[in-house]
Amino acid sequence: MKAVFAKIGSDFFSTIVFVVLYFSTGKVALATIVAVLGAVGQFIYAKLKGQRLDVMAYASVALVVVLGGATLLTNDARFVLIKPSVGHIAVGLLMLRRDWMLRYVPPIVAETIPDYVRIAGYGWAALMLLLGAGVVAAAMTGDIKIWTFYVMVIAPAFKVAAVAGQYLVFRLAIRHRRRAAAVATPVATAPVAAES
């Protein structure tokens, strides 16, 4: 769990830096420059440490630089605020692959209710795309307080609710399928020995 939070913190580092600086100083340019420098520095540090970086790491740093540049040119924070939507949308598009979720569930789930897992996978794709669109909509308001509330409270709350709902549905579906299988296969009885 600690590794998951470290990864999330790493992925949103430049956004967190931007929000903290913007709220504390009220200066878009300063917050943007420090956030861009932080993202580039984070990328260089990972390269120097010999970490294997995937395509998303390269895309993320390029996006920070491009959106940061657009923010500096226009003095409009909305460009930087749009960045988290790209991650949501990219993940949502990847989740549109059929049965992507089967490798992430326990074997009992994959074997007992693969159809539910497939539907849940598409549901997660839709949720991520919807949350990405929500980030864009919140950013377009130009109100950093609305955007921060959406990104830090609303979007995570929807994800937590989805995990809880999925867990409950999967448990009930597995229980139902197991009971149905038990009723369908009668218990074999041992033959009674003939009395002499």
Side-chain angles (χ1 to χ4, degrees):
M1 191 65 153
K2 188 177 177 182
V4 171
F5 285 117
K7 176 75 172 135
I8 291 170
S10 174
D11 289 348
F12 287 98
F13 175 73
S14 64
T15 304
I16 293 166
V17 167
F18 176 84
V19 169
V20 168
L21 278 174
Y22 183 77
F23 270 129
S24 60
T25 67
K27 298 181 179 179
V28 173
L30 174 66
T32 302
I33 289 168
V34 174
V36 169
L37 291 175
V40 171
Q42 184 182 21
F43 182 81
I44 291 169
Y45 177 77
K47 290 291 279 181
L48 292 174
K49 292 288 276 180
Q51 294 177 3
R52 188 172 164 271
L53 300 172
D54 59 8
V55 174
M56 284 302 286
Y58 286 94
S60 180
V61 77
L63 198 60
V64 168
V65 171
V66 169
L67 293 175
T71 296
L72 290 173
L73 288 172
T74 62
N75 198 33
D76 188 346
R78 290 181 290 190
F79 290 106
V80 171
L81 299 180
I82 287 173
K83 183 199 174 271
S85 71
V86 175
H88 281 92
I89 293 168
V91 169
L93 292 173
L94 289 173
M95 288 177 170
L96 288 173
R97 287 187 339 228
R98 180 181 169 96
D99 294 332
W100 70 268
M101 197 176 194
L102 284 174
R103 65 187 289 190
Y104 298 103
V105 296
I108 188 171
V109 176
E111 293 163 7
T112 311
I113 54 168
D115 50 332
Y116 280 74
V117 177
R118 180 175 302 125
I119 293 167
Y122 289 130
W124 274 102
L127 177 64
M128 294 304 286
L129 293 169
L130 185 64
L131 291 176
V135 171
V136 172
M140 288 296 121
T141 66
D143 186 338
I144 198 162
K145 290 178 184 171
I146 291 173
W147 178 87
T148 302
F149 183 73
Y150 179 83
V151 170
M152 301 296 185
V153 177
I154 302 295
F158 270 97
K159 291 174 193 172
V160 168
V163 168
Q166 175 181 300
Y167 178 79
L168 181 63
V169 168
F170 281 9
R171 275 191 70 94
L172 292 173
I174 289 170
R175 185 176 299 152
H176 176 74
R177 291 259 170 103
R178 285 183 148 185
R179 283 184 183 156
V183 169
T185 48
V187 178
T189 55
V192 180
E195 291 180 19
S196 48

